[in-house]
Short mmCIF file of all heavy atoms in Angstrom, two decimals:
data_model
loop_
_atom_site.label_atom_id
_atom_site.label_comp_id
_atom_site.label_asym_id
_atom_site.label_seq_id
_atom_site.Cartn_x
_atom_site.Cartn_y
_atom_site.Cartn_z
N GLY A 5 -20.25 -3.42 -5.75
CA GLY A 5 -19.41 -4.29 -6.42
C GLY A 5 -18.06 -4.59 -5.62
O GLY A 5 -17.88 -4.08 -4.51
N SER A 6 -17.24 -5.36 -6.27
CA SER A 6 -15.89 -5.77 -5.57
C SER A 6 -14.74 -5.58 -6.52
O SER A 6 -14.96 -5.60 -7.79
CB SER A 6 -16.01 -7.28 -5.23
OG SER A 6 -17.04 -7.55 -4.26
N LEU A 7 -13.59 -5.24 -5.98
CA LEU A 7 -12.36 -5.30 -6.67
C LEU A 7 -11.26 -5.85 -5.74
O LEU A 7 -11.37 -5.80 -4.53
CB LEU A 7 -11.92 -3.80 -6.96
CG LEU A 7 -12.60 -3.12 -8.15
CD1 LEU A 7 -12.13 -1.65 -8.27
CD2 LEU A 7 -12.23 -3.86 -9.51
N ARG A 8 -10.21 -6.39 -6.37
CA ARG A 8 -9.03 -6.91 -5.57
C ARG A 8 -7.81 -6.23 -6.14
O ARG A 8 -7.45 -6.25 -7.30
CB ARG A 8 -8.97 -8.36 -5.71
CG ARG A 8 -7.85 -8.96 -4.89
CD ARG A 8 -7.59 -10.37 -5.27
NE ARG A 8 -6.81 -11.18 -4.25
CZ ARG A 8 -6.03 -12.07 -4.53
NH1 ARG A 8 -5.76 -12.49 -5.77
NH2 ARG A 8 -5.34 -12.71 -3.58
N LEU A 9 -7.19 -5.45 -5.23
CA LEU A 9 -5.95 -4.75 -5.58
C LEU A 9 -4.76 -5.68 -5.17
O LEU A 9 -4.82 -6.38 -4.16
CB LEU A 9 -5.80 -3.44 -4.83
CG LEU A 9 -7.01 -2.43 -5.06
CD1 LEU A 9 -6.60 -1.19 -4.29
CD2 LEU A 9 -7.28 -2.24 -6.54
N SER A 10 -3.71 -5.56 -6.00
CA SER A 10 -2.47 -6.26 -5.61
C SER A 10 -1.31 -5.22 -5.65
O SER A 10 -1.32 -4.23 -6.43
CB SER A 10 -2.15 -7.33 -6.77
OG SER A 10 -3.17 -8.34 -6.67
N CYS A 11 -0.28 -5.53 -4.87
CA CYS A 11 0.96 -4.66 -4.81
C CYS A 11 2.14 -5.65 -4.69
O CYS A 11 2.26 -6.27 -3.73
CB CYS A 11 0.84 -3.62 -3.76
SG CYS A 11 2.41 -2.77 -3.53
N ALA A 12 2.94 -5.65 -5.71
CA ALA A 12 4.22 -6.53 -5.63
C ALA A 12 5.39 -5.64 -5.38
O ALA A 12 5.56 -4.76 -6.19
CB ALA A 12 4.27 -7.32 -6.99
N ALA A 13 6.24 -6.12 -4.47
CA ALA A 13 7.41 -5.37 -4.18
C ALA A 13 8.61 -6.23 -4.79
O ALA A 13 8.67 -7.46 -4.74
CB ALA A 13 7.76 -5.24 -2.70
N SER A 14 9.53 -5.44 -5.40
CA SER A 14 10.70 -6.19 -6.03
C SER A 14 11.95 -5.40 -5.65
O SER A 14 11.88 -4.19 -5.39
CB SER A 14 10.48 -6.32 -7.50
OG SER A 14 10.37 -5.11 -8.06
N GLY A 15 13.10 -5.97 -5.85
CA GLY A 15 14.38 -5.31 -5.64
C GLY A 15 15.15 -6.00 -4.52
O GLY A 15 15.05 -7.16 -4.25
N ASN A 16 16.11 -5.21 -3.91
CA ASN A 16 17.00 -5.72 -2.90
C ASN A 16 16.26 -5.81 -1.54
O ASN A 16 16.40 -4.90 -0.67
CB ASN A 16 18.18 -4.77 -2.76
CG ASN A 16 19.27 -5.31 -1.86
OD1 ASN A 16 19.28 -6.53 -1.64
ND2 ASN A 16 20.16 -4.47 -1.36
N ILE A 17 15.48 -6.80 -1.41
CA ILE A 17 14.59 -6.98 -0.19
C ILE A 17 14.99 -8.18 0.62
O ILE A 17 14.98 -9.29 0.09
CB ILE A 17 13.11 -7.14 -0.65
CG1 ILE A 17 12.62 -5.87 -1.43
CG2 ILE A 17 12.23 -7.34 0.54
CD1 ILE A 17 11.26 -5.90 -2.03
N ARG A 18 15.38 -7.86 1.81
CA ARG A 18 15.70 -9.00 2.75
C ARG A 18 14.39 -9.42 3.46
O ARG A 18 14.12 -10.61 3.66
CB ARG A 18 16.78 -8.67 3.74
CG ARG A 18 18.11 -8.73 3.33
CD ARG A 18 19.07 -8.48 4.59
NE ARG A 18 18.88 -7.16 5.19
CZ ARG A 18 18.43 -7.10 6.38
NH1 ARG A 18 18.05 -8.09 7.18
NH2 ARG A 18 18.37 -5.85 6.92
N ARG A 19 13.64 -8.44 3.94
CA ARG A 19 12.43 -8.64 4.74
C ARG A 19 11.57 -7.45 4.61
O ARG A 19 12.07 -6.33 4.58
CB ARG A 19 12.94 -8.91 6.19
CG ARG A 19 11.86 -9.22 7.14
CD ARG A 19 12.50 -9.49 8.53
NE ARG A 19 11.44 -9.73 9.60
CZ ARG A 19 11.78 -9.70 10.86
NH1 ARG A 19 13.02 -9.57 11.26
NH2 ARG A 19 10.85 -9.88 11.76
N ILE A 20 10.26 -7.70 4.63
CA ILE A 20 9.36 -6.63 4.72
C ILE A 20 8.64 -6.67 6.09
O ILE A 20 7.95 -7.70 6.38
CB ILE A 20 8.34 -6.71 3.58
CG1 ILE A 20 9.01 -6.63 2.15
CG2 ILE A 20 7.29 -5.57 3.71
CD1 ILE A 20 8.09 -6.74 1.01
N TYR A 21 8.77 -5.63 6.88
CA TYR A 21 8.12 -5.63 8.15
C TYR A 21 6.63 -5.46 8.06
O TYR A 21 5.93 -6.18 8.83
CB TYR A 21 8.68 -4.49 9.05
CG TYR A 21 10.16 -4.63 9.38
CD1 TYR A 21 11.06 -3.62 9.21
CD2 TYR A 21 10.62 -5.71 10.01
CE1 TYR A 21 12.34 -3.72 9.50
CE2 TYR A 21 11.92 -5.91 10.40
CZ TYR A 21 12.82 -4.90 10.05
OH TYR A 21 14.13 -5.01 10.43
N ALA A 22 6.20 -4.64 7.24
CA ALA A 22 4.73 -4.33 7.13
C ALA A 22 4.38 -3.79 5.76
O ALA A 22 5.33 -3.20 5.08
CB ALA A 22 4.29 -3.35 8.22
N MET A 23 3.24 -4.04 5.41
CA MET A 23 2.70 -3.42 4.08
C MET A 23 1.29 -2.88 4.39
O MET A 23 0.63 -3.33 5.34
CB MET A 23 2.72 -4.45 2.99
CG MET A 23 4.05 -5.03 2.65
SD MET A 23 3.95 -6.07 1.17
CE MET A 23 4.12 -4.76 -0.12
N ALA A 24 1.03 -1.80 3.67
CA ALA A 24 -0.20 -1.08 3.94
C ALA A 24 -0.82 -0.54 2.68
O ALA A 24 -0.11 -0.36 1.71
CB ALA A 24 0.03 0.06 4.93
N TRP A 25 -2.16 -0.25 2.79
CA TRP A 25 -2.83 0.51 1.64
C TRP A 25 -3.33 1.77 2.16
O TRP A 25 -3.86 1.79 3.24
CB TRP A 25 -3.98 -0.40 1.15
CG TRP A 25 -3.61 -1.56 0.35
CD1 TRP A 25 -3.48 -2.91 0.78
CD2 TRP A 25 -3.26 -1.63 -1.02
NE1 TRP A 25 -3.06 -3.66 -0.24
CE2 TRP A 25 -3.01 -2.95 -1.38
CE3 TRP A 25 -3.27 -0.61 -2.00
CZ2 TRP A 25 -2.59 -3.35 -2.63
CZ3 TRP A 25 -2.91 -1.07 -3.34
CH2 TRP A 25 -2.60 -2.36 -3.61
N TYR A 26 -3.06 2.81 1.37
CA TYR A 26 -3.57 4.16 1.68
C TYR A 26 -4.41 4.52 0.47
O TYR A 26 -4.41 4.01 -0.57
CB TYR A 26 -2.43 5.18 1.74
CG TYR A 26 -1.59 5.09 2.99
CD1 TYR A 26 -0.69 4.05 3.19
CD2 TYR A 26 -1.68 5.95 4.03
CE1 TYR A 26 0.14 3.90 4.30
CE2 TYR A 26 -0.92 5.91 5.19
CZ TYR A 26 -0.08 4.93 5.34
OH TYR A 26 0.66 4.75 6.44
N ARG A 27 -5.22 5.59 0.65
CA ARG A 27 -6.04 6.12 -0.48
C ARG A 27 -6.07 7.61 -0.39
O ARG A 27 -5.94 8.22 0.71
CB ARG A 27 -7.41 5.52 -0.58
CG ARG A 27 -8.28 5.87 0.58
CD ARG A 27 -9.61 5.17 0.42
NE ARG A 27 -10.55 5.44 1.55
CZ ARG A 27 -11.69 4.82 1.73
NH1 ARG A 27 -12.10 3.83 0.96
NH2 ARG A 27 -12.50 5.24 2.71
N GLN A 28 -6.21 8.28 -1.54
CA GLN A 28 -6.38 9.74 -1.57
C GLN A 28 -7.41 10.13 -2.54
O GLN A 28 -7.30 9.82 -3.76
CB GLN A 28 -5.01 10.39 -1.94
CG GLN A 28 -5.03 11.86 -1.76
CD GLN A 28 -3.66 12.55 -1.80
OE1 GLN A 28 -2.65 11.89 -2.24
NE2 GLN A 28 -3.57 13.79 -1.33
N ALA A 29 -8.45 10.74 -2.04
CA ALA A 29 -9.51 11.13 -2.89
C ALA A 29 -9.24 12.66 -3.31
O ALA A 29 -8.50 13.28 -2.59
CB ALA A 29 -10.84 11.17 -2.17
N PRO A 30 -9.84 13.11 -4.42
CA PRO A 30 -9.56 14.45 -4.90
C PRO A 30 -9.86 15.48 -3.75
O PRO A 30 -10.96 15.42 -3.09
CB PRO A 30 -10.58 14.62 -6.01
CG PRO A 30 -10.69 13.25 -6.56
CD PRO A 30 -10.70 12.41 -5.33
N GLY A 31 -8.89 16.39 -3.50
CA GLY A 31 -9.15 17.45 -2.50
C GLY A 31 -8.97 16.97 -1.06
O GLY A 31 -9.27 17.72 -0.14
N LYS A 32 -8.64 15.71 -0.85
CA LYS A 32 -8.52 15.22 0.52
C LYS A 32 -7.12 14.70 0.74
O LYS A 32 -6.39 14.46 -0.13
CB LYS A 32 -9.47 14.10 0.68
CG LYS A 32 -11.00 14.48 0.66
CD LYS A 32 -11.84 13.34 1.16
CE LYS A 32 -13.33 13.80 1.18
NZ LYS A 32 -14.22 12.78 1.56
N GLN A 33 -6.76 14.53 2.01
CA GLN A 33 -5.48 14.10 2.43
C GLN A 33 -5.40 12.57 2.20
O GLN A 33 -6.49 11.83 2.28
CB GLN A 33 -5.18 14.43 3.91
CG GLN A 33 -4.96 15.93 4.19
CD GLN A 33 -4.46 16.13 5.58
OE1 GLN A 33 -4.84 15.42 6.49
NE2 GLN A 33 -3.58 17.22 5.79
N ARG A 34 -4.18 12.08 2.07
CA ARG A 34 -4.05 10.69 1.97
C ARG A 34 -4.34 9.95 3.35
O ARG A 34 -3.94 10.53 4.33
CB ARG A 34 -2.60 10.30 1.57
CG ARG A 34 -2.40 8.89 1.11
CD ARG A 34 -0.98 8.66 0.56
NE ARG A 34 -0.82 9.39 -0.67
CZ ARG A 34 0.22 9.30 -1.42
NH1 ARG A 34 1.27 8.37 -1.22
NH2 ARG A 34 0.39 10.02 -2.52
N GLU A 35 -5.07 8.94 3.28
CA GLU A 35 -5.44 8.29 4.56
C GLU A 35 -5.09 6.76 4.51
O GLU A 35 -5.15 6.14 3.44
CB GLU A 35 -7.02 8.43 4.77
CG GLU A 35 -7.89 7.75 3.76
CD GLU A 35 -9.36 7.78 4.18
OE1 GLU A 35 -9.71 8.23 5.34
OE2 GLU A 35 -10.15 7.40 3.37
#
């Protein structure tokens, strides 16, 4: 199947250089 994740940034933001997605499974390091 498929899913679409969204992430909205708010606040005192002039510019965002980069954005990224990480994930962490149980018992594993964030990647």
Side-chain angles (χ1 to χ4, degrees):
S6 298
L7 281 175
R8 187 190 193 213
L9 305 183
S10 300
C11 173
S14 62
N16 187 22
I17 298 172
R18 277 190 300 116
R19 181 180 174 188
I20 300 178
Y21 292 127
M23 299 188 81
W25 287 97
Y26 288 74
R27 68 186 181 187
Q28 188 167 18
K32 294 188 177 181
Q33 289 188 330
R34 191 172 297 188
E35 64 174 353

